[in-house]
Amino acid sequence: KERLTRTAVPAPIRINPLETLQAFQSSLQDAKDLNSLLRTFATSLHQDAGFDRVGLTILNPNDSDLLVGRLVLGTGPLAPYVRAISGSLSREHQFFLTVLKRIDPLHIPDFSALMAGTIKREFLEIWDPTSAIVASLRVGVKPIGLVYCDRATSGQPVQAQDYQVFQLFFLQMTLGLNRLAGII
């Protein structure tokens, strides 16, 4: 597949880190429910942190084996991307199941190094991932979903500094999730 490339414009977090993080924290504090908080997080990863594509999934509350795509930014048309990131953890997305068990975000330098059969083929074909960051979304210790982000449309691999930026946003979002849940 041929990748689309974006003009390299520095992400706001690289130009004005303090102001960008303060604006993000304010947006999180204004979030009144889970959906608005997660939308704020995904939008900030895409617009402020500079990730080209962001996918957000939630575990189905009635079936903890089912990952349901909720939001995808940076791609089009959206339906195939949402469908590809959704699916059964035990049958289609065993790799994502291992990520859900982790506390810390995972930087994947090369998706081709993943064993075949551990991730849904449709995901690999549609998302065509090279390198990415994947993390479990948690309320307290309970996983509620997963976030995926990469820099695929710019043709750049996810670097160590991207991981550090992700962690800044991820930590603030996790605190916001726990605040909304009444844990902190």
Side-chain angles (χ1 to χ4, degrees):
K1 287 183 180 179
E2 185 177 319
R3 295 194 185 275
L4 301 173
T5 56
R6 289 193 330 187
T7 308
V9 176
I13 191 73
R14 301 208 190 288
I15 298 167
N16 295 311
L18 185 59
E19 294 86 355
T20 302
L21 282 176
Q22 285 176 333
F24 176 61
Q25 288 171 335
S26 293
S27 295
L28 290 176
Q29 289 175 352
D30 292 342
K32 302 297 181 211
D33 59 30
L34 176 70
N35 287 331
S36 62
L37 186 128
L38 291 176
R39 179 172 290 285
T40 297
F41 173 56
T43 302
S44 292
L45 285 175
H46 182 60
Q47 293 176 351
D48 300 330
F51 290 101
D52 296 342
R53 301 185 305 184
V54 177
L56 190 72
T57 67
I58 298 294
L59 285 170
N60 182 329
N62 300 320
D63 181 357
S64 63
D65 183 53
L66 188 59
L67 204 55
V68 180
R70 288 293 284 267
L71 178 66
V72 175
L73 300 171
T75 64
L78 297 179
Y81 286 87
V82 170
R83 187 176 52 249
I85 203 167
S86 301
S88 166
L89 290 165
S90 62
R91 292 186 315 273
E92 298 172 305
H93 285 303
Q94 294 94 355
F95 173 71
F96 288 159
L97 179 59
T98 64
V99 171
L100 284 171
K101 294 177 182 178
R102 295 176 59 97
I103 300 294
D104 56 328
L106 179 63
H107 175 205
I108 305 159
D110 182 7
F111 253 91
S112 66
L114 292 176
M115 291 177 41
T118 64
I119 199 156
K120 190 175 179 180
R121 193 175 96 225
E122 183 183 17
F123 176 82
L124 296 172
E125 290 170 356
I126 290 175
W127 284 80
D128 192 23
T130 52
S131 66
I133 296 172
V134 185
S136 175
L137 303 171
R138 295 176 169 275
V139 172
V141 296
K142 181 183 179 188
I144 62 163
L146 184 113
V147 63
Y148 166 97
C149 51
D150 68 22
R151 296 173 39 104
T153 56
S154 64
Q156 300 294 314
V158 173
Q159 303 288 331
Q161 65 263 23
D162 295 318
Y163 184 76
Q164 293 168 347
V165 166
F166 178 87
Q167 286 184 305
L168 288 172
F169 283 84
F170 185 71
L171 176 62
Q172 294 303 314
M173 183 278 308
T174 301
L175 290 171
L177 269 177
N178 288 312
R179 175 187 55 81
L180 276 176
I183 295 174
I184 58 172

